[in-house]
Amino acid sequence: MMNTRRFPILPLVSTAVSAVLAVSLATGAVAQTPARPGNAPAPTGLSTGAAAEYRLGSGDAIKISVFQNPDMTLETRVSEAGTISFPLLGVVRIGGLSVSDAESRIAEGLRKGNFVKQPQVTILVLKVTGNQASVLGQVNQPGRYPLEVADTRLTDLLANARGVSPAGGDLLVLTGQRGGKPFRLEVDLPTLFGPNGREQDVVVLNGDVLWVERFPMIYIYGEVQKPGQIRLERGMTLLQGLAAGGGLTLRGTDRGIRVHRKDASGKVQEIKPGMDEPLKDGDVIFVRESLF
């Protein structure tokens, strides 16, 4: 009978399990150990993750409260100069400040004047009139709209105006001032919902004006079923334009089609485009009658 050597399996297994547990505990300890502030990298998105605060403007109606000092409660409006008149402090300039900065400024004045030892000031914006932007053109509800948050974007302003009307096109024009200089931005509406839409969806500032252009049109007459004006869809060709006009009548001929188009100088030119040539805004299509 052959002799077999028996190895101490249990001690080996116990040793392996202990090693695995030691590594796991060490890994967990490292994962749970917070990084030192001096060596920790700045959190990504810290500045963009937090919503920007609204900045007070002239005409804004606000309510100021001081904790445990009801006699200091004040409802007022920010003047054209950006100031308010607060009890015990007199004139305080808060125009252009964020709400939290304005609270700190009033609290600092109460503390330095020894009126309140540890003032806790709260400002509630009752009505926004100091920061507004206008929406004009082909929208469902044009007008002036308050910018109630500092991060109001172009799409937010468009939504306030109830969106683009049926006669509106894809071209949006935002004008205003940036850094004291005239600002103008043309935005293609569909790109706002594309991969890089956030770059085009810019922040709207006080005094900006958003203009929504009308939908581009073409005109068709002559021997077609439905002469008149037609919405020019993106990339529409001459053939598609004829189809939108109901097609040719029995007397019409595709050999007699002419398109009248304005050049850069505004002069009208007559061209003979191919059926696959794209049309342009303002084109006038004429279909001649067949001679046979």
Side-chain angles (χ1 to χ4, degrees), residues 55-247:
R55 294 189 176 274
L56 298 170
S58 59
D60 286 347
I62 60 175
K63 180 179 180 180
I64 305 174
S65 304
V66 182
F67 182 62
Q68 294 184 343
N69 290 272
D71 55 323
M72 292 186 179
T73 300
L74 174 68
E75 290 190 16
T76 185
R77 285 183 178 271
V78 182
S79 70
E80 291 293 330
T83 61
I84 60 168
S85 180
F86 191 78
L88 303 177
L89 299 182
V91 177
V92 181
R93 184 175 299 277
I94 62 173
L97 297 180
S98 65
V99 173
S100 60
D101 288 343
E103 292 171 344
S104 299
R105 177 165 293 186
I106 295 174
E108 183 182 4
L110 293 174
R111 189 184 307 109
K112 287 184 175 180
N114 294 322
F115 302 118
V116 182
K117 289 185 177 180
Q118 295 181 344
Q120 299 180 21
V121 179
T122 302
I123 296 180
L124 175 65
V125 181
L126 302 177
K127 186 177 181 180
V128 175
T129 58
N131 293 276
Q132 295 185 344
S134 300
V135 186
L136 304 174
Q138 304 301 323
V139 291
N140 290 310
Q141 192 171 328
R144 290 177 59 85
Y145 293 92
L147 305 178
E148 297 182 353
V149 295
D151 197 30
T152 301
R153 296 186 175 270
L154 191 149
T155 50
D156 300 325
L157 187 60
L158 190 60
N160 290 338
R162 304 295 186 266
V164 179
S165 69
D170 294 336
L171 179 62
L172 310 179
V173 181
L174 183 68
T175 58
Q177 286 193 347
R178 299 293 187 274
K181 297 181 180 180
F183 168 80
R184 175 185 172 89
L185 175 67
E186 293 187 2
V187 179
D188 187 30
L189 182 58
T191 63
L192 290 175
F193 307 97
N196 300 321
R198 188 67 175 178
E199 298 177 3
Q200 296 292 318
D201 196 11
V202 298
V203 175
V204 179
L205 300 184
N206 180 39
D208 281 355
V209 178
L210 176 62
W211 168 262
V212 179
E213 188 62 77
R214 68 169 179 81
F215 207 99
M217 306 292 293
I218 60 172
Y219 307 87
I220 183 170
Y221 71 106
E223 296 300 328
V224 290
Q225 300 289 345
K226 296 185 296 183
Q229 63 179 14
I230 301 172
R231 290 172 63 125
L232 178 61
E233 301 292 345
R234 184 165 301 195
M236 178 182 282
T237 63
L238 175 59
L239 181 60
Q240 293 170 333
L242 293 173

